[in-house]
Amino acid sequence: MKLNLLLALAIPIAFCAQKNSVADTLGNYPNAYSSGSANIKPFDNSSRMFRDWSVSVGGGGAFMHSADVNSFYDGKVDFGWNAYGSLDKQISHTFGLSLLYQTGKTNQKALLPGAAGVAAGVATAYTKYHQVSVLGDINFSNLMRRTDNHSPYRWALHGYGGVGLQAYNTLLLDNDMSRWSTTPNRIPIEIDQKLGFDSFFFQVGTGVKYNASKLIDIEARAMYIFSGDDSFDGGGYARNSRPPYNAIKSGSSDNMFSVNLGLSFKLGKYDTHLAWFDPLQNINNRIYVLDHAATDFVVCEKGDLDNDGVCDDWDRQLGTPAGARVDGAGVALDMDLDGVIDLYDKCVTVPGPVENNGCPINVNPK
């Protein structure tokens, strides 16, 4: 019984599956795998409507923040630099992905507490870094844009978040234990971190893009990097290292941020990039145009010379007498088919000769 029931269910499914496969391989639309609309195309590059690839480059300042050895010391800022390049793929009008490479250098200072600080003085350090990451891009302007906003779409707010790996080299010098010296135990604090899974970090940020042309976007971008590494600022390998720069502040993650100005070069042959297209607004605009379009019907382009109500474009009898009733082709009506049109027929329902005004011979027309 169970086997029969299984066969009863499986056989129709097998036949339908075969039918669907045949429909799909024929390449005809609509088919079993389409939405039922005839206005669809194969899923390949020929069906694209927008640019969706771009290359971005930029640069600006970089600063060590929330670290033991900091870029912000004694009310002053030690500026560093940052540069980036990325290959960007727009997945939808609200989301994209980037393969990002960043490099730069931060400069920072610190002072040990107590007598150690008096002996060492203000320490100076730098961090040179290289980072490779995957970055997600959310287009907040497309996500929150009102569909009835008809203003030019030239500015967009973006949010970023991603993960990556980094390699860095740090150097810290002071006047005591970590100065350049041949004296034993007086060597600089220097760290050389190789690129690997132990250098994992994540980052978030935001940016404002301006659609300068169909080929170029201009962007101001700020990124914050959580290193998860207490050695990233150059203070040493651990909190108990000597000199104890890593013990100045609590926490085990030295973070940095960058502020950059960059350009995005949009690749492809289409006029519009997907990041600058909102399908909901496009649909609303089309509805608006249709609702406010002036109704302009051109009737009787060639006129109606005989004024019978039938345009000359399809009037089969262009010289219909004035006042005669006509059919849809503009031919004068003759109800009794006696050759006398109803306009002149004195006996409309009874056939008769023309000489008697369309009435039978034995009937006198009125």
Side-chain angles (χ1 to χ4, degrees):
M1 179 63 181
K2 293 183 179 179
L3 179 60
N4 293 337
L5 181 59
L6 178 62
L7 291 175
L9 294 174
I11 290 176
I13 293 174
F15 278 110
C16 289
Q18 179 66 23
K19 180 180 178 181
N20 291 349
S21 299
V22 172
D24 186 56
T25 55
L26 291 177
N28 297 322
Y29 298 96
N31 59 34
Y33 297 101
S34 72
S35 63
S37 170
N39 188 25
I40 56 177
K41 297 180 180 179
F43 186 68
D44 54 26
N45 286 333
S46 65
S47 63
R48 289 190 181 191
M49 299 173 60
F50 310 100
R51 301 172 188 259
D52 55 2
W53 287 95
S54 61
V55 174
S56 300
V57 294
F63 310 89
M64 193 66 65
H65 179 262
S66 183
D68 301 286
V69 188
N70 210 297
S71 294
F72 303 90
Y73 177 80
D74 195 25
K76 298 179 181 179
V77 180
D78 291 301
F79 286 88
W81 63 271
N82 173 75
Y84 71 88
S86 67
L87 178 64
D88 314 314
K89 167 66 174 178
Q90 195 69 28
I91 307 300
S92 71
H93 69 292
T94 59
F95 181 72
L97 286 173
S98 298
L99 181 61
L100 179 68
Y101 170 75
Q102 300 175 93
T103 186
K105 177 185 177 184
T106 61
N107 296 300
Q108 47 266 15
K109 294 179 180 178
L111 179 65
L112 291 172
V118 175
V122 177
T124 59
Y126 68 72
T127 300
K128 298 177 180 179
Y129 61 89
H130 303 275
Q131 299 171 335
V132 179
S133 60
V134 176
L135 199 64
D137 175 2
I138 298 178
N139 189 331
F140 286 115
S141 292
N142 258 346
L143 194 63
M144 300 183 294
R145 186 171 172 81
R146 288 174 57 107
T147 59
D148 59 351
N149 188 339
H150 300 283
S151 61
Y153 189 18
R154 304 298 294 270
W155 294 91
L157 176 65
H158 288 250
Y160 302 101
V163 296
L165 304 175
Q166 66 178 350
Y168 60 85
N169 176 264
T170 69
L171 177 67
L172 183 144
L173 296 173
D174 64 18
N175 295 329
D176 187 26
M177 292 298 294
S178 58
R179 61 181 176 173
W180 290 109
S181 174
T182 57
T183 306
N185 298 324
R186 295 196 174 190
I187 58 175
I189 298 176
E190 188 172 11
I191 298 174
D192 187 16
Q193 172 66 51
K194 303 299 182 182
L195 186 70
F197 289 103
D198 56 341
S199 62
F200 176 87
F201 71 91
F202 64 96
Q203 59 183 335
V204 295
T206 187
V208 177
K209 280 190 176 182
Y210 175 71
N211 186 12
S213 72
K214 68 178 182 180
L215 297 177
I216 297 176
D217 289 344
I218 302 174
E219 180 182 23
R221 178 188 295 187
M223 300 297 300
Y224 196 88
I225 295 174
F226 300 87
S227 73
D229 190 338
D230 205 18
S231 303
F232 188 45
D233 63 352
Y237 282 103
R239 293 184 60 81
N240 57 358
S241 62
R242 290 289 181 266
Y245 284 100
N246 273 343
I248 294 178
K249 291 184 177 181
S250 61
S252 58
S253 178
D254 299 330
N255 306 326
M256 63 161 286
F257 71 90
S258 62
V259 180
N260 298 318
L261 185 65
L263 297 175
S264 293
F265 300 93
K266 294 171 279 191
L267 308 178
K269 63 181 180 179
Y270 303 98
D271 288 337
T272 304
H273 192 276
L274 185 54
W276 295 104
F277 178 80
D278 185 350
L280 293 178
Q281 186 187 32
N282 179 260
I283 292 172
N284 188 76
N285 285 345
R286 293 190 179 194
I287 295 173
Y288 178 87
V289 170
L290 290 175
D291 286 344
H292 293 79
T295 304
D296 187 14
F297 296 103
V298 178
V299 180
C300 291
E301 189 171 340
K302 294 183 180 180
D304 180 14
L305 295 178
D306 54 8
N307 295 316
D308 61 358
V310 179
C311 297
D312 292 348
D313 297 316
W314 53 84
D315 196 332
R316 293 173 56 191
Q317 191 178 69
L318 295 176
T320 305
R325 295 184 301 162
V326 298
D327 60 15
V331 178
L333 294 178
D334 180 12
M335 293 287 292
D336 53 12
L337 303 176
D338 59 1
V340 181
I341 64 174
D342 293 349
L343 178 65
Y344 303 131
D345 199 331
K346 300 299 183 180
C347 301
V348 176
T349 59
V350 181
V354 177
E355 298 81 20
N356 201 35
N357 295 321
C359 290
I361 297 298
N362 58 350
V363 177
N364 292 324
K366 295 180 180 180

